[in-house]
Amino acid sequence: MNEARISLWLRVREFAVPAAMIETCTARRLAGDWAGACAAAGFDLDLDPRALPPPVRADLRCLAPDLLRWHLPRIAPDGLLRPGLTMTLARYGPVHLVVRTAPAWADAGQRVSLALWDGGAAGAHPHPRPDRRFRLDLHRHLWDVRRVGELGLRCGATDAAPGDRAEAGCRGRAGASGDHAAPVPPPDFEPSGIEILGGAGESRLPPWCAAARWPAEAALLLRAEGRPPGPVLVRFGARRRAVVHPCSWTSHLCPEVPRRCSATSNVHRAPSRHRPGGPGALSALPVLPDAATWTLPDLELLRADAITPDRLHPLVAAALAPGHAPASEPGGREQLLVECRGEQHRLGLVDGVLTAIDHTAAELRREELLVALSGTPLPCLRVIDRAHRDPDTIAAIGERLRHGDIRGALAAVDGLLGPGALLRDGPLREELETAAERRITHGLYRAGLTPAGPPPRRTPRRTTRAHPRHATQR
């Protein structure tokens, strides 16, 4: 895991799903209030809770919306939710329980919606049909509290004992009859190889691909869709694809000799005669879900010693680091120390406002008057002014706003500047105003009061070489 990827996922884990959201969602879910848990996690309900069939209601009672937000696909460089997606969580015949992310031009607050899809449209959403690549119905352990214990096995962090294999087979048979319950991947599926499609120099997979898990996940996909053993397409980047070629798929109910897949040793570029017959044949292949394509970021961070289990979602930490004792909570906020006139001065909250404690009120008024007359302010006053204007000095306020943690952003401002402070003109105030305006845009999108697409963008003028056809006639 390279430094850029570590930095990206560390920011996501710190700001995307704050601890206060997890605590509130957990409390409401344990109390049986699944709609309240969804509201705490920033979910909008596009369904009528009173008109839901029993299977859907049972799944929603076991939905952990904060865990689902934790595992939703994200994009670089900011780690924001991948916009404009419709992802299946569960299937009930022709009806899908789906989660939708807003398009990029209306993604304020990083809010998502929960709905039932039966083949119709979805208002102004650009892609109402469930995406066959981004689907979570085969990965219920990423959102269903009944299946979260499978996370360690499905991400490759733990191995299954023979007894667990038999139990997994029973769960697989039970889940095969209902396509809303995905089975555990069979342990005895062997690949004949992984063929990377592309030009020269593209015969290597990124190190964060979970290629060792692809054959088992491919078998799960084929069985869930009722297909015979065959090749499965994997998309692992922009215009980068691979094909998993199986050679056998035996019964996994009573395996005589458990065998582990070693797909990474079989990565190759097969001759063209072994490839599917053209682009049309490739598009007809089943696509491996994106959640099965990559190594779990939390597992990568733990292996790189970049994060401790205390900073993970509690359900994820329990699956990846069982038996880990959580650390004690940190103490309260300390006073800021500033080097001022050769001494260490303190900055703290006085009557709800960040104040230079070691300066008298008369001295502060005199210094403010000097500043108004173009004088140089004291170091203490310079730090206070910079805290008012620069969002980077206030607990990464910009990151919180981008990930939709408005409550956490305002709490960070109150914690440093004080609840009685008046924001001055500067980047911090502009960030907060921009976040408020984007929330209005998102509200209009949700109400269907905006056009079907984003506002038109100004096309940059393209420079052309001098040519008689491009010359202006005078």
Side-chain angles (χ1 to χ4, degrees):
M1 195 174 192
N2 57 24
E3 294 296 330
R5 185 170 170 83
I6 288 178
S7 176
L8 167 67
W9 282 106
L10 282 178
R11 291 201 312 272
V12 170
R13 292 308 179 229
E14 182 176 1
F15 300 110
V17 188
M21 175 187 292
I22 297 175
E23 182 179 355
T24 305
C25 289
T26 302
R28 295 181 179 179
R29 175 174 54 81
L30 294 178
D33 183 11
W34 64 265
C38 289
F43 280 56
D44 297 312
L45 299 182
D46 290 339
L47 44 81
D48 185 1
R50 296 169 297 182
L52 296 176
V56 180
R57 192 182 298 274
D59 281 340
L60 289 176
R61 280 197 296 264
C62 297
L63 167 67
D66 51 322
L67 182 64
L68 174 57
R69 178 177 285 276
W70 185 275
H71 289 299
L72 285 178
R74 299 181 178 275
I75 58 174
D78 297 322
L80 301 180
L81 296 176
R82 181 176 288 272
L85 279 183
T86 297
M87 292 162 282
T88 298
L89 297 182
R91 294 187 296 177
Y92 315 92
V95 179
H96 293 226
L97 176 65
V98 298
V99 60
R100 290 191 173 100
T101 59
W105 58 273
D107 65 351
Q110 292 287 276
R111 299 187 66 84
V112 297
S113 61
L114 202 63
L116 291 177
W117 180 82
D118 57 0
H125 197 277
H127 304 289
R129 178 178 295 274
D131 195 304
R132 65 176 186 149
R133 176 187 175 192
F134 296 95
R135 53 186 293 186
L136 296 176
D137 56 317
L138 303 181
H139 296 79
R140 296 175 69 100
H141 57 283
L142 300 182
W143 59 269
D144 191 335
V145 294
R146 297 168 298 186
R147 307 284 291 274
V148 73
E150 302 171 8
L151 178 62
L153 175 62
R154 291 291 295 273
C155 73
T158 59
D159 295 329
D164 296 333
R165 295 176 186 271
E167 182 183 357
C170 295
R171 289 200 306 269
R173 288 200 312 274
S177 61
D179 51 8
H180 64 279
V184 174
D188 57 350
F189 182 81
E190 290 187 350
S192 63
I194 296 176
E195 174 195 357
I196 300 178
L197 306 179
E202 296 186 1
S203 58
R204 300 185 63 181
L205 296 172
W208 45 86
C209 281
R213 296 290 306 164
W214 287 358
E217 295 290 342
L220 187 154
L221 172 66
L222 293 173
R223 187 154 63 95
E225 295 191 350
R227 292 174 178 251
V232 173
L233 184 67
V234 182
R235 295 178 57 184
F236 58 94
R239 296 183 296 277
R240 299 198 64 185
R241 297 171 295 178
V243 176
V244 179
H245 295 277
C247 67
S248 65
W249 187 20
T250 59
S251 172
H252 65 279
L253 299 182
C254 298
E256 297 179 1
V257 182
R259 297 184 291 266
R260 286 187 59 82
C261 301
S262 56
T264 51
S265 61
N266 294 323
V267 176
H268 68 286
R269 289 181 55 80
S272 58
R273 67 178 182 273
H274 292 279
R275 299 181 186 176
L282 281 178
S283 62
L285 293 179
V287 179
L288 192 73
D290 187 77
T293 303
W294 313 102
T295 303
L296 189 71
D298 301 316
L299 185 59
E300 291 185 84
L301 293 174
L302 288 174
R303 289 174 174 174
D305 292 329
I307 200 172
T308 61
D310 300 316
R311 297 176 57 188
L312 298 177
H313 191 289
L315 295 176
V316 176
L320 299 185
H324 174 78
S328 58
E329 292 293 332
R333 177 184 175 274
E334 299 180 355
Q335 294 177 340
L336 299 178
L337 297 179
V338 178
E339 187 73 25
C340 181
R341 293 179 174 177
E343 299 177 354
Q344 290 283 345
H345 286 180
R346 299 166 297 166
L347 301 182
L349 298 182
V350 177
D351 296 331
V353 178
L354 183 64
T355 307
I357 299 176
D358 295 318
H359 293 277
T360 65
E363 187 178 6
L364 292 176
R365 285 195 298 269
R366 184 172 62 251
E367 290 295 330
E368 291 175 355
L369 179 60
L370 290 176
V371 172
L373 297 175
S374 302
T376 301
L378 289 172
C380 289
L381 296 183
R382 287 202 298 267
V383 172
I384 294 175
D385 185 71
R386 187 164 61 250
H388 272 269
R389 300 179 188 277
D390 189 357
D392 293 334
T393 64
I394 309 180
I397 190 68
E399 289 285 348
R400 296 183 186 275
L401 291 174
R402 280 189 287 273
H403 285 282
D405 187 14
I406 306 297
R407 181 178 301 177
L410 296 179
V413 174
D414 291 345
L416 183 57
L417 300 181
L422 296 177
L423 287 181
R424 304 167 187 175
D425 292 336
L428 174 56
R429 185 166 182 168
E430 293 174 0
E431 286 266 10
L432 293 173
E433 291 175 349
T434 301
E437 293 173 357
R438 289 178 58 82
R439 290 295 296 270
I440 294 175
T441 302
H442 179 78
L444 294 175
Y445 157 75
R446 290 279 306 161
L449 300 178
T450 57
R457 294 190 303 175
R458 182 177 301 175
T459 304
R461 180 178 298 177
R462 184 174 58 184
T463 58
T464 57
R465 297 180 58 187
H467 190 277
R469 288 187 305 174
H470 300 144
T472 304
Q473 305 208 357
R474 303 183 181 180

